[in-house]
Amino acid sequence: MDAIFYISAAVAILATFLMLTRMNAVHALLYLVVSLLAVALVFYTLGAPFVAVLEVIIYAGAIMVLFVFVVMMLNLGRQASLQECEWQRPGMWVGPAILAAILIAEVATVMMRGHTRIPEAAVVGPQAVSLSLFGPYLIGVELASMLLLGGLVGAYHLGRRTKEKRESQNNVVIGADAARSAPGGDLVHAGSDRTAGSA
Amino acid sequence: MFTLGLIGLLVRRNIIFILMSLEVMLNAAGLAFVVAGSRWGAPDGQIVFIFILAMAAAEVSVGLALVLQIYHRFKTLDADAASEMKG
């Protein structure tokens, strides 16, 4: 079990590092998915199977899919990859790498100075988690649902793209509803310009 | 992993990559929480990770909608393009 932990931890770090250095956005997203799956395996070896499954389903399965959708929708193409190559000069990495190395050294010293024994991984099953969620952490669940509602409304509102009304277009098209004018404008009402009579 | 995400956040200029590095950082923080919960044998670490997951989902949806808006206005994904405060 320890070998699985170390191997998957190494895979997670390697995949994250590879993700940072990719020029193509889709390649980087795939490496990020690999990193998330490796972290899910780490969760499983730590005795948290519920969270491991949640990570795979929600993080790698929904959030990353959302990323992939948006990247595909933006349709960046080869020109964007070349632009990334121009932006990423090797000298850019020196500053943040030094600062991050200082941070890693700090964390390492703190960990070395503390408990030296390897903590035993107690298996905390889904039942204990759910009992705790419905008990003391109920307020957190309600707040999280409100946050998700706010995120949903915000994303819907930000995802709309309303074009400026063109007067000539409204005069030419007889009887056309303004909300059904252009498919490329409003992302939400994109498919609603098909009326029942024009099949 | 957190520092890797931080490096990625600071170095890349493409907004999509910035958001991805943010996801890495959130995941690393969640990993720390779950490890702490497993060490003490309490379910609290996993619960906090579930909350982090929900928060990351909301943040990703709103962030990507903002990215779409920025791309629609500036026609580029450069984070430096949105450096003016004037609407």
PDB file of all heavy atoms in Angstrom, chain A residues 20 22 29 36 43 46 51 55 59 84 92 117 124 129 137 158 160-161, chain B residues 4 11-12 14 17 20 23 27 31 35 38-39 44 46 49 53 69 72:
ATOM      1  N   LEU A  20       2.206  22.236 -16.493  1.00  0.00           N
ATOM      2  CA  LEU A  20       2.596  23.641 -16.497  1.00  0.00           C
ATOM      3  C   LEU A  20       3.411  23.992 -17.728  1.00  0.00           C
ATOM      4  O   LEU A  20       3.447  25.146 -18.140  1.00  0.00           O
ATOM      5  CB  LEU A  20       3.420  23.958 -15.255  1.00  0.00           C
ATOM      6  CG  LEU A  20       2.704  23.899 -13.937  1.00  0.00           C
ATOM      7  CD1 LEU A  20       3.676  24.200 -12.837  1.00  0.00           C
ATOM      8  CD2 LEU A  20       1.574  24.888 -13.915  1.00  0.00           C
ATOM      9  N   ARG A  22       3.249  22.718 -20.826  1.00  0.00           N
ATOM     10  CA  ARG A  22       2.694  22.468 -22.148  1.00  0.00           C
ATOM     11  C   ARG A  22       2.344  23.764 -22.843  1.00  0.00           C
ATOM     12  O   ARG A  22       1.984  24.772 -22.202  1.00  0.00           O
ATOM     13  CB  ARG A  22       1.418  21.635 -22.048  1.00  0.00           C
ATOM     14  CG  ARG A  22       1.604  20.213 -21.648  1.00  0.00           C
ATOM     15  CD  ARG A  22       2.591  19.482 -22.475  1.00  0.00           C
ATOM     16  NE  ARG A  22       3.841  19.317 -21.758  1.00  0.00           N
ATOM     17  CZ  ARG A  22       4.963  18.909 -22.312  1.00  0.00           C
ATOM     18  NH1 ARG A  22       4.990  18.648 -23.592  1.00  0.00           N
ATOM     19  NH2 ARG A  22       6.042  18.765 -21.588  1.00  0.00           N
ATOM     20  N   LEU A  29      -4.631  20.216 -20.183  1.00  0.00           N
ATOM     21  CA  LEU A  29      -5.828  19.735 -19.495  1.00  0.00           C
ATOM     22  C   LEU A  29      -5.774  18.234 -19.284  1.00  0.00           C
ATOM     23  O   LEU A  29      -6.177  17.730 -18.225  1.00  0.00           O
ATOM     24  CB  LEU A  29      -7.064  20.088 -20.313  1.00  0.00           C
ATOM     25  CG  LEU A  29      -7.567  21.497 -20.098  1.00  0.00           C
ATOM     26  CD1 LEU A  29      -8.673  21.792 -21.069  1.00  0.00           C
ATOM     27  CD2 LEU A  29      -8.049  21.660 -18.694  1.00  0.00           C
ATOM     28  N   LEU A  36      -5.196  14.665 -11.327  1.00  0.00           N
ATOM     29  CA  LEU A  36      -6.333  14.508 -10.422  1.00  0.00           C
ATOM     30  C   LEU A  36      -6.625  13.044 -10.135  1.00  0.00           C
ATOM     31  O   LEU A  36      -6.965  12.678  -8.996  1.00  0.00           O
ATOM     32  CB  LEU A  36      -7.572  15.172 -11.023  1.00  0.00           C
ATOM     33  CG  LEU A  36      -7.511  16.683 -11.114  1.00  0.00           C
ATOM     34  CD1 LEU A  36      -8.735  17.218 -11.806  1.00  0.00           C
ATOM     35  CD2 LEU A  36      -7.398  17.286  -9.747  1.00  0.00           C
ATOM     36  N   PHE A  43      -5.751   9.537  -2.207  1.00  0.00           N
ATOM     37  CA  PHE A  43      -6.822   9.571  -1.209  1.00  0.00           C
ATOM     38  C   PHE A  43      -7.240   8.162  -0.803  1.00  0.00           C
ATOM     39  O   PHE A  43      -7.509   7.891   0.372  1.00  0.00           O
ATOM     40  CB  PHE A  43      -8.044  10.295  -1.771  1.00  0.00           C
ATOM     41  CG  PHE A  43      -7.905  11.777  -1.816  1.00  0.00           C
ATOM     42  CD1 PHE A  43      -8.620  12.519  -2.739  1.00  0.00           C
ATOM     43  CD2 PHE A  43      -7.089  12.444  -0.936  1.00  0.00           C
ATOM     44  CE1 PHE A  43      -8.503  13.889  -2.780  1.00  0.00           C
ATOM     45  CE2 PHE A  43      -6.966  13.810  -0.979  1.00  0.00           C
ATOM     46  CZ  PHE A  43      -7.677  14.528  -1.904  1.00  0.00           C
ATOM     47  N   LEU A  46      -4.902   6.654   1.570  1.00  0.00           N
ATOM     48  CA  LEU A  46      -4.955   7.294   2.880  1.00  0.00           C
ATOM     49  C   LEU A  46      -6.167   6.850   3.679  1.00  0.00           C
ATOM     50  O   LEU A  46      -6.365   7.306   4.800  1.00  0.00           O
ATOM     51  CB  LEU A  46      -5.014   8.816   2.712  1.00  0.00           C
ATOM     52  CG  LEU A  46      -3.700   9.482   2.329  1.00  0.00           C
ATOM     53  CD1 LEU A  46      -3.937  10.936   2.072  1.00  0.00           C
ATOM     54  CD2 LEU A  46      -2.695   9.312   3.435  1.00  0.00           C
ATOM     55  N   VAL A  51     -13.958  10.136  -0.567  1.00  0.00           N
ATOM     56  CA  VAL A  51     -13.405  11.343  -1.174  1.00  0.00           C
ATOM     57  C   VAL A  51     -12.688  11.009  -2.471  1.00  0.00           C
ATOM     58  O   VAL A  51     -12.683  11.800  -3.423  1.00  0.00           O
ATOM     59  CB  VAL A  51     -12.470  12.037  -0.174  1.00  0.00           C
ATOM     60  CG1 VAL A  51     -11.779  13.192  -0.804  1.00  0.00           C
ATOM     61  CG2 VAL A  51     -13.266  12.508   0.992  1.00  0.00           C
ATOM     62  N   GLU A  55     -13.616  12.766  -5.892  1.00  0.00           N
ATOM     63  CA  GLU A  55     -12.638  13.494  -6.690  1.00  0.00           C
ATOM     64  C   GLU A  55     -12.701  13.067  -8.140  1.00  0.00           C
ATOM     65  O   GLU A  55     -12.671  13.897  -9.047  1.00  0.00           O
ATOM     66  CB  GLU A  55     -11.230  13.224  -6.125  1.00  0.00           C
ATOM     67  CG  GLU A  55     -10.106  13.621  -7.035  1.00  0.00           C
ATOM     68  CD  GLU A  55      -9.310  14.765  -6.482  1.00  0.00           C
ATOM     69  OE1 GLU A  55      -9.684  15.258  -5.418  1.00  0.00           O
ATOM     70  OE2 GLU A  55      -8.342  15.163  -7.113  1.00  0.00           O
ATOM     71  N   TYR A  59     -14.403  16.291  -9.612  1.00  0.00           N
ATOM     72  CA  TYR A  59     -13.295  17.107 -10.053  1.00  0.00           C
ATOM     73  C   TYR A  59     -12.848  16.711 -11.451  1.00  0.00           C
ATOM     74  O   TYR A  59     -12.849  17.509 -12.387  1.00  0.00           O
ATOM     75  CB  TYR A  59     -12.118  16.955  -9.074  1.00  0.00           C
ATOM     76  CG  TYR A  59     -11.488  18.251  -8.706  1.00  0.00           C
ATOM     77  CD1 TYR A  59     -11.331  18.617  -7.382  1.00  0.00           C
ATOM     78  CD2 TYR A  59     -11.041  19.123  -9.678  1.00  0.00           C
ATOM     79  CE1 TYR A  59     -10.758  19.806  -7.043  1.00  0.00           C
ATOM     80  CE2 TYR A  59     -10.464  20.310  -9.350  1.00  0.00           C
ATOM     81  CZ  TYR A  59     -10.327  20.650  -8.028  1.00  0.00           C
ATOM     82  OH  TYR A  59      -9.753  21.831  -7.689  1.00  0.00           O
ATOM     83  N   GLU A  84       1.773  30.892 -27.316  1.00  0.00           N
ATOM     84  CA  GLU A  84       2.251  30.442 -26.010  1.00  0.00           C
ATOM     85  C   GLU A  84       3.754  30.275 -26.017  1.00  0.00           C
ATOM     86  O   GLU A  84       4.427  30.600 -25.047  1.00  0.00           O
ATOM     87  CB  GLU A  84       1.595  29.108 -25.656  1.00  0.00           C
ATOM     88  CG  GLU A  84       0.161  29.193 -25.225  1.00  0.00           C
ATOM     89  CD  GLU A  84       0.009  29.837 -23.873  1.00  0.00           C
ATOM     90  OE1 GLU A  84       0.893  29.667 -23.034  1.00  0.00           O
ATOM     91  OE2 GLU A  84      -0.992  30.525 -23.670  1.00  0.00           O
ATOM     92  N   MET A  92      11.553  33.496 -17.564  1.00  0.00           N
ATOM     93  CA  MET A  92      10.409  33.832 -16.738  1.00  0.00           C
ATOM     94  C   MET A  92      10.283  32.917 -15.548  1.00  0.00           C
ATOM     95  O   MET A  92       9.673  33.263 -14.555  1.00  0.00           O
ATOM     96  CB  MET A  92       9.127  33.736 -17.565  1.00  0.00           C
ATOM     97  CG  MET A  92       8.964  34.835 -18.559  1.00  0.00           C
ATOM     98  SD  MET A  92       7.621  34.425 -19.651  1.00  0.00           S
ATOM     99  CE  MET A  92       6.277  34.549 -18.527  1.00  0.00           C
ATOM    100  N   ARG A 117       7.218  10.051  13.193  1.00  0.00           N
ATOM    101  CA  ARG A 117       6.632   8.754  12.873  1.00  0.00           C
ATOM    102  C   ARG A 117       5.626   8.941  11.747  1.00  0.00           C
ATOM    103  O   ARG A 117       4.981   9.962  11.623  1.00  0.00           O
ATOM    104  CB  ARG A 117       5.942   8.172  14.105  1.00  0.00           C
ATOM    105  CG  ARG A 117       4.702   8.931  14.524  1.00  0.00           C
ATOM    106  CD  ARG A 117       4.032   8.231  15.688  1.00  0.00           C
ATOM    107  NE  ARG A 117       2.774   8.844  16.003  1.00  0.00           N
ATOM    108  CZ  ARG A 117       2.652   9.906  16.773  1.00  0.00           C
ATOM    109  NH1 ARG A 117       3.700  10.477  17.307  1.00  0.00           N
ATOM    110  NH2 ARG A 117       1.459  10.417  17.020  1.00  0.00           N
ATOM    111  N   VAL A 124     -11.518   6.084   7.157  1.00  0.00           N
ATOM    112  CA  VAL A 124     -12.726   6.810   7.531  1.00  0.00           C
ATOM    113  C   VAL A 124     -13.725   6.614   6.409  1.00  0.00           C
ATOM    114  O   VAL A 124     -13.619   7.217   5.355  1.00  0.00           O
ATOM    115  CB  VAL A 124     -12.431   8.307   7.738  1.00  0.00           C
ATOM    116  CG1 VAL A 124     -13.666   9.003   8.243  1.00  0.00           C
ATOM    117  CG2 VAL A 124     -11.291   8.480   8.707  1.00  0.00           C
ATOM    118  N   VAL A 129     -18.477   9.970   7.395  1.00  0.00           N
ATOM    119  CA  VAL A 129     -18.491  11.279   6.737  1.00  0.00           C
ATOM    120  C   VAL A 129     -19.915  11.798   6.631  1.00  0.00           C
ATOM    121  O   VAL A 129     -20.204  12.959   6.929  1.00  0.00           O
ATOM    122  CB  VAL A 129     -17.845  11.174   5.340  1.00  0.00           C
ATOM    123  CG1 VAL A 129     -18.008  12.465   4.596  1.00  0.00           C
ATOM    124  CG2 VAL A 129     -16.389  10.817   5.466  1.00  0.00           C
ATOM    125  N   TYR A 137     -22.044  19.580  10.627  1.00  0.00           N
ATOM    126  CA  TYR A 137     -21.667  20.400   9.480  1.00  0.00           C
ATOM    127  C   TYR A 137     -22.844  20.737   8.593  1.00  0.00           C
ATOM    128  O   TYR A 137     -22.677  21.010   7.416  1.00  0.00           O
ATOM    129  CB  TYR A 137     -20.611  19.663   8.641  1.00  0.00           C
ATOM    130  CG  TYR A 137     -19.244  19.717   9.268  1.00  0.00           C
ATOM    131  CD1 TYR A 137     -18.757  18.647   9.986  1.00  0.00           C
ATOM    132  CD2 TYR A 137     -18.456  20.845   9.144  1.00  0.00           C
ATOM    133  CE1 TYR A 137     -17.508  18.696  10.549  1.00  0.00           C
ATOM    134  CE2 TYR A 137     -17.204  20.895   9.704  1.00  0.00           C
ATOM    135  CZ  TYR A 137     -16.744  19.820  10.415  1.00  0.00           C
ATOM    136  OH  TYR A 137     -15.504  19.870  10.971  1.00  0.00           O
ATOM    137  N   LEU A 158     -23.219  35.534 -16.998  1.00  0.00           N
ATOM    138  CA  LEU A 158     -22.001  35.908 -17.699  1.00  0.00           C
ATOM    139  C   LEU A 158     -21.876  35.198 -19.023  1.00  0.00           C
ATOM    140  O   LEU A 158     -21.137  35.624 -19.894  1.00  0.00           O
ATOM    141  CB  LEU A 158     -20.783  35.604 -16.822  1.00  0.00           C
ATOM    142  CG  LEU A 158     -20.593  36.542 -15.656  1.00  0.00           C
ATOM    143  CD1 LEU A 158     -19.506  36.023 -14.755  1.00  0.00           C
ATOM    144  CD2 LEU A 158     -20.250  37.916 -16.129  1.00  0.00           C
ATOM    145  N   ARG A 160     -24.216  34.784 -21.207  1.00  0.00           N
ATOM    146  CA  ARG A 160     -25.044  35.370 -22.251  1.00  0.00           C
ATOM    147  C   ARG A 160     -24.237  36.388 -23.016  1.00  0.00           C
ATOM    148  O   ARG A 160     -23.487  37.146 -22.443  1.00  0.00           O
ATOM    149  CB  ARG A 160     -26.240  36.084 -21.636  1.00  0.00           C
ATOM    150  CG  ARG A 160     -27.177  35.196 -20.907  1.00  0.00           C
ATOM    151  CD  ARG A 160     -28.219  36.057 -20.270  1.00  0.00           C
ATOM    152  NE  ARG A 160     -28.920  36.810 -21.302  1.00  0.00           N
ATOM    153  CZ  ARG A 160     -30.227  36.874 -21.385  1.00  0.00           C
ATOM    154  NH1 ARG A 160     -30.955  36.232 -20.510  1.00  0.00           N
ATOM    155  NH2 ARG A 160     -30.809  37.583 -22.313  1.00  0.00           N
ATOM    156  N   ARG A 161     -24.421  36.374 -24.315  1.00  0.00           N
ATOM    157  CA  ARG A 161     -23.783  37.410 -25.119  1.00  0.00           C
ATOM    158  C   ARG A 161     -24.867  38.041 -25.971  1.00  0.00           C
ATOM    159  O   ARG A 161     -25.304  37.457 -26.946  1.00  0.00           O
ATOM    160  CB  ARG A 161     -22.687  36.822 -25.993  1.00  0.00           C
ATOM    161  CG  ARG A 161     -21.493  36.385 -25.179  1.00  0.00           C
ATOM    162  CD  ARG A 161     -20.346  36.065 -26.064  1.00  0.00           C
ATOM    163  NE  ARG A 161     -20.625  34.869 -26.854  1.00  0.00           N
ATOM    164  CZ  ARG A 161     -19.909  34.527 -27.910  1.00  0.00           C
ATOM    165  NH1 ARG A 161     -18.938  35.276 -28.314  1.00  0.00           N
ATOM    166  NH2 ARG A 161     -20.191  33.441 -28.578  1.00  0.00           N
TER     167      ARG A 161
ATOM    168  N   LEU B   4       3.891  24.071  -7.043  1.00  0.00           N
ATOM    169  CA  LEU B   4       3.869  23.924  -8.499  1.00  0.00           C
ATOM    170  C   LEU B   4       2.731  24.742  -9.096  1.00  0.00           C
ATOM    171  O   LEU B   4       2.891  25.432 -10.108  1.00  0.00           O
ATOM    172  CB  LEU B   4       3.699  22.449  -8.873  1.00  0.00           C
ATOM    173  CG  LEU B   4       4.977  21.631  -8.988  1.00  0.00           C
ATOM    174  CD1 LEU B   4       4.658  20.205  -9.318  1.00  0.00           C
ATOM    175  CD2 LEU B   4       5.883  22.209 -10.039  1.00  0.00           C
ATOM    176  N   VAL B  11       3.576  32.303 -13.700  1.00  0.00           N
ATOM    177  CA  VAL B  11       4.361  32.372 -14.918  1.00  0.00           C
ATOM    178  C   VAL B  11       3.485  32.514 -16.162  1.00  0.00           C
ATOM    179  O   VAL B  11       3.775  33.318 -17.043  1.00  0.00           O
ATOM    180  CB  VAL B  11       5.255  31.114 -15.029  1.00  0.00           C
ATOM    181  CG1 VAL B  11       5.888  31.034 -16.381  1.00  0.00           C
ATOM    182  CG2 VAL B  11       6.302  31.155 -13.960  1.00  0.00           C
ATOM    183  N   ARG B  12       2.393  31.715 -16.214  1.00  0.00           N
ATOM    184  CA  ARG B  12       1.644  31.683 -17.459  1.00  0.00           C
ATOM    185  C   ARG B  12       0.814  32.937 -17.632  1.00  0.00           C
ATOM    186  O   ARG B  12       0.293  33.495 -16.669  1.00  0.00           O
ATOM    187  CB  ARG B  12       0.705  30.471 -17.465  1.00  0.00           C
ATOM    188  CG  ARG B  12       1.360  29.179 -17.129  1.00  0.00           C
ATOM    189  CD  ARG B  12       2.209  28.579 -18.164  1.00  0.00           C
ATOM    190  NE  ARG B  12       1.695  28.499 -19.483  1.00  0.00           N
ATOM    191  CZ  ARG B  12       1.910  27.457 -20.283  1.00  0.00           C
ATOM    192  NH1 ARG B  12       2.555  26.430 -19.811  1.00  0.00           N
ATOM    193  NH2 ARG B  12       1.469  27.452 -21.496  1.00  0.00           N
ATOM    194  N   ASN B  14      -1.637  32.971 -20.224  1.00  0.00           N
ATOM    195  CA  ASN B  14      -2.932  32.570 -20.743  1.00  0.00           C
ATOM    196  C   ASN B  14      -3.889  32.354 -19.579  1.00  0.00           C
ATOM    197  O   ASN B  14      -3.557  31.681 -18.612  1.00  0.00           O
ATOM    198  CB  ASN B  14      -2.760  31.258 -21.528  1.00  0.00           C
ATOM    199  CG  ASN B  14      -3.892  31.002 -22.440  1.00  0.00           C
ATOM    200  OD1 ASN B  14      -4.912  31.669 -22.382  1.00  0.00           O
ATOM    201  ND2 ASN B  14      -3.738  30.015 -23.292  1.00  0.00           N
ATOM    202  N   PHE B  17      -4.656  28.807 -18.460  1.00  0.00           N
ATOM    203  CA  PHE B  17      -3.613  28.164 -17.669  1.00  0.00           C
ATOM    204  C   PHE B  17      -3.587  28.694 -16.249  1.00  0.00           C
ATOM    205  O   PHE B  17      -3.280  27.962 -15.318  1.00  0.00           O
ATOM    206  CB  PHE B  17      -2.248  28.371 -18.334  1.00  0.00           C
ATOM    207  CG  PHE B  17      -1.995  27.414 -19.438  1.00  0.00           C
ATOM    208  CD1 PHE B  17      -2.246  27.759 -20.746  1.00  0.00           C
ATOM    209  CD2 PHE B  17      -1.540  26.136 -19.170  1.00  0.00           C
ATOM    210  CE1 PHE B  17      -2.028  26.871 -21.758  1.00  0.00           C
ATOM    211  CE2 PHE B  17      -1.312  25.245 -20.180  1.00  0.00           C
ATOM    212  CZ  PHE B  17      -1.561  25.607 -21.483  1.00  0.00           C
ATOM    213  N   MET B  20      -6.219  26.839 -14.503  1.00  0.00           N
ATOM    214  CA  MET B  20      -5.828  25.457 -14.247  1.00  0.00           C
ATOM    215  C   MET B  20      -4.861  25.379 -13.079  1.00  0.00           C
ATOM    216  O   MET B  20      -4.946  24.459 -12.252  1.00  0.00           O
ATOM    217  CB  MET B  20      -5.182  24.858 -15.499  1.00  0.00           C
ATOM    218  CG  MET B  20      -6.187  24.370 -16.497  1.00  0.00           C
ATOM    219  SD  MET B  20      -5.472  23.208 -17.636  1.00  0.00           S
ATOM    220  CE  MET B  20      -4.577  24.309 -18.666  1.00  0.00           C
ATOM    221  N   GLU B  23      -6.748  25.518  -9.971  1.00  0.00           N
ATOM    222  CA  GLU B  23      -7.356  24.237  -9.630  1.00  0.00           C
ATOM    223  C   GLU B  23      -6.359  23.324  -8.959  1.00  0.00           C
ATOM    224  O   GLU B  23      -6.689  22.603  -8.005  1.00  0.00           O
ATOM    225  CB  GLU B  23      -7.880  23.549 -10.890  1.00  0.00           C
ATOM    226  CG  GLU B  23      -9.049  24.253 -11.518  1.00  0.00           C
ATOM    227  CD  GLU B  23     -10.178  24.376 -10.541  1.00  0.00           C
ATOM    228  OE1 GLU B  23     -10.540  23.365  -9.924  1.00  0.00           O
ATOM    229  OE2 GLU B  23     -10.671  25.490 -10.358  1.00  0.00           O
ATOM    230  N   ASN B  27      -6.670  21.726  -5.246  1.00  0.00           N
ATOM    231  CA  ASN B  27      -6.585  20.296  -5.049  1.00  0.00           C
ATOM    232  C   ASN B  27      -5.516  19.955  -4.028  1.00  0.00           C
ATOM    233  O   ASN B  27      -5.712  19.065  -3.189  1.00  0.00           O
ATOM    234  CB  ASN B  27      -6.273  19.630  -6.389  1.00  0.00           C
ATOM    235  CG  ASN B  27      -6.680  18.198  -6.397  1.00  0.00           C
ATOM    236  OD1 ASN B  27      -7.557  17.802  -5.654  1.00  0.00           O
ATOM    237  ND2 ASN B  27      -6.030  17.405  -7.231  1.00  0.00           N
ATOM    238  N   LEU B  31      -5.944  18.072  -0.537  1.00  0.00           N
ATOM    239  CA  LEU B  31      -5.172  16.886  -0.188  1.00  0.00           C
ATOM    240  C   LEU B  31      -4.605  17.010   1.215  1.00  0.00           C
ATOM    241  O   LEU B  31      -4.631  16.058   2.005  1.00  0.00           O
ATOM    242  CB  LEU B  31      -4.050  16.704  -1.211  1.00  0.00           C
ATOM    243  CG  LEU B  31      -3.067  15.569  -0.978  1.00  0.00           C
ATOM    244  CD1 LEU B  31      -3.784  14.252  -1.051  1.00  0.00           C
ATOM    245  CD2 LEU B  31      -1.977  15.622  -2.023  1.00  0.00           C
ATOM    246  N   VAL B  35      -5.390  14.467   4.323  1.00  0.00           N
ATOM    247  CA  VAL B  35      -4.301  13.809   5.052  1.00  0.00           C
ATOM    248  C   VAL B  35      -4.417  14.089   6.538  1.00  0.00           C
ATOM    249  O   VAL B  35      -4.259  13.195   7.372  1.00  0.00           O
ATOM    250  CB  VAL B  35      -2.943  14.285   4.502  1.00  0.00           C
ATOM    251  CG1 VAL B  35      -1.824  13.891   5.442  1.00  0.00           C
ATOM    252  CG2 VAL B  35      -2.703  13.688   3.142  1.00  0.00           C
ATOM    253  N   SER B  38      -7.225  12.059   7.937  1.00  0.00           N
ATOM    254  CA  SER B  38      -6.890  10.650   8.048  1.00  0.00           C
ATOM    255  C   SER B  38      -5.923  10.400   9.198  1.00  0.00           C
ATOM    256  O   SER B  38      -5.949   9.345   9.833  1.00  0.00           O
ATOM    257  CB  SER B  38      -6.289  10.180   6.723  1.00  0.00           C
ATOM    258  OG  SER B  38      -5.595   8.993   6.914  1.00  0.00           O
ATOM    259  N   ARG B  39      -5.087  11.385   9.501  1.00  0.00           N
ATOM    260  CA  ARG B  39      -4.114  11.196  10.551  1.00  0.00           C
ATOM    261  C   ARG B  39      -4.795  11.150  11.918  1.00  0.00           C
ATOM    262  O   ARG B  39      -4.408  10.381  12.787  1.00  0.00           O
ATOM    263  CB  ARG B  39      -3.089  12.330  10.498  1.00  0.00           C
ATOM    264  CG  ARG B  39      -1.905  12.106  11.416  1.00  0.00           C
ATOM    265  CD  ARG B  39      -1.954  13.037  12.557  1.00  0.00           C
ATOM    266  NE  ARG B  39      -0.902  12.813  13.510  1.00  0.00           N
ATOM    267  CZ  ARG B  39      -1.003  11.973  14.525  1.00  0.00           C
ATOM    268  NH1 ARG B  39      -2.075  11.211  14.633  1.00  0.00           N
ATOM    269  NH2 ARG B  39      -0.057  11.887  15.430  1.00  0.00           N
ATOM    270  N   ASP B  44     -13.584  14.932   9.533  1.00  0.00           N
ATOM    271  CA  ASP B  44     -13.658  16.362   9.242  1.00  0.00           C
ATOM    272  C   ASP B  44     -12.836  16.759   8.020  1.00  0.00           C
ATOM    273  O   ASP B  44     -13.199  17.672   7.281  1.00  0.00           O
ATOM    274  CB  ASP B  44     -13.153  17.161  10.452  1.00  0.00           C
ATOM    275  CG  ASP B  44     -14.069  16.977  11.641  1.00  0.00           C
ATOM    276  OD1 ASP B  44     -14.684  15.903  11.723  1.00  0.00           O
ATOM    277  OD2 ASP B  44     -14.177  17.883  12.468  1.00  0.00           O
ATOM    278  N   GLN B  46     -12.328  15.049   5.318  1.00  0.00           N
ATOM    279  CA  GLN B  46     -13.052  14.727   4.087  1.00  0.00           C
ATOM    280  C   GLN B  46     -14.208  15.681   3.871  1.00  0.00           C
ATOM    281  O   GLN B  46     -14.525  16.055   2.742  1.00  0.00           O
ATOM    282  CB  GLN B  46     -13.566  13.301   4.141  1.00  0.00           C
ATOM    283  CG  GLN B  46     -12.459  12.294   4.322  1.00  0.00           C
ATOM    284  CD  GLN B  46     -12.984  10.899   4.199  1.00  0.00           C
ATOM    285  OE1 GLN B  46     -13.997  10.673   3.545  1.00  0.00           O
ATOM    286  NE2 GLN B  46     -12.311   9.959   4.812  1.00  0.00           N
ATOM    287  N   PHE B  49     -12.906  18.729   2.483  1.00  0.00           N
ATOM    288  CA  PHE B  49     -12.576  18.527   1.082  1.00  0.00           C
ATOM    289  C   PHE B  49     -13.817  18.589   0.206  1.00  0.00           C
ATOM    290  O   PHE B  49     -13.777  19.108  -0.913  1.00  0.00           O
ATOM    291  CB  PHE B  49     -11.870  17.185   0.873  1.00  0.00           C
ATOM    292  CG  PHE B  49     -11.482  16.964  -0.551  1.00  0.00           C
ATOM    293  CD1 PHE B  49     -10.386  17.604  -1.077  1.00  0.00           C
ATOM    294  CD2 PHE B  49     -12.229  16.150  -1.363  1.00  0.00           C
ATOM    295  CE1 PHE B  49     -10.030  17.430  -2.388  1.00  0.00           C
ATOM    296  CE2 PHE B  49     -11.881  15.964  -2.686  1.00  0.00           C
ATOM    297  CZ  PHE B  49     -10.769  16.601  -3.192  1.00  0.00           C
ATOM    298  N   LEU B  53     -14.410  21.132  -2.805  1.00  0.00           N
ATOM    299  CA  LEU B  53     -14.831  20.663  -4.121  1.00  0.00           C
ATOM    300  C   LEU B  53     -16.000  21.493  -4.640  1.00  0.00           C
ATOM    301  O   LEU B  53     -16.005  21.933  -5.798  1.00  0.00           O
ATOM    302  CB  LEU B  53     -15.241  19.197  -4.001  1.00  0.00           C
ATOM    303  CG  LEU B  53     -15.056  18.287  -5.181  1.00  0.00           C
ATOM    304  CD1 LEU B  53     -13.662  18.343  -5.676  1.00  0.00           C
ATOM    305  CD2 LEU B  53     -15.398  16.880  -4.759  1.00  0.00           C
ATOM    306  N   GLN B  69     -16.301  35.829 -21.647  1.00  0.00           N
ATOM    307  CA  GLN B  69     -16.573  37.250 -21.847  1.00  0.00           C
ATOM    308  C   GLN B  69     -15.316  37.999 -22.279  1.00  0.00           C
ATOM    309  O   GLN B  69     -15.345  38.839 -23.176  1.00  0.00           O
ATOM    310  CB  GLN B  69     -17.104  37.860 -20.541  1.00  0.00           C
ATOM    311  CG  GLN B  69     -18.542  37.568 -20.262  1.00  0.00           C
ATOM    312  CD  GLN B  69     -19.456  38.403 -21.118  1.00  0.00           C
ATOM    313  OE1 GLN B  69     -19.079  39.465 -21.586  1.00  0.00           O
ATOM    314  NE2 GLN B  69     -20.650  37.911 -21.342  1.00  0.00           N
ATOM    315  N   HIS B  72     -14.504  37.305 -25.734  1.00  0.00           N
ATOM    316  CA  HIS B  72     -15.422  37.957 -26.653  1.00  0.00           C
ATOM    317  C   HIS B  72     -15.074  39.428 -26.829  1.00  0.00           C
ATOM    318  O   HIS B  72     -15.230  39.994 -27.909  1.00  0.00           O
ATOM    319  CB  HIS B  72     -16.848  37.813 -26.107  1.00  0.00           C
ATOM    320  CG  HIS B  72     -17.879  38.399 -27.000  1.00  0.00           C
ATOM    321  ND1 HIS B  72     -18.064  37.986 -28.288  1.00  0.00           N
ATOM    322  CD2 HIS B  72     -18.789  39.372 -26.786  1.00  0.00           C
ATOM    323  CE1 HIS B  72     -19.056  38.675 -28.842  1.00  0.00           C
ATOM    324  NE2 HIS B  72     -19.503  39.523 -27.962  1.00  0.00           N
TER     325      HIS B  72
END
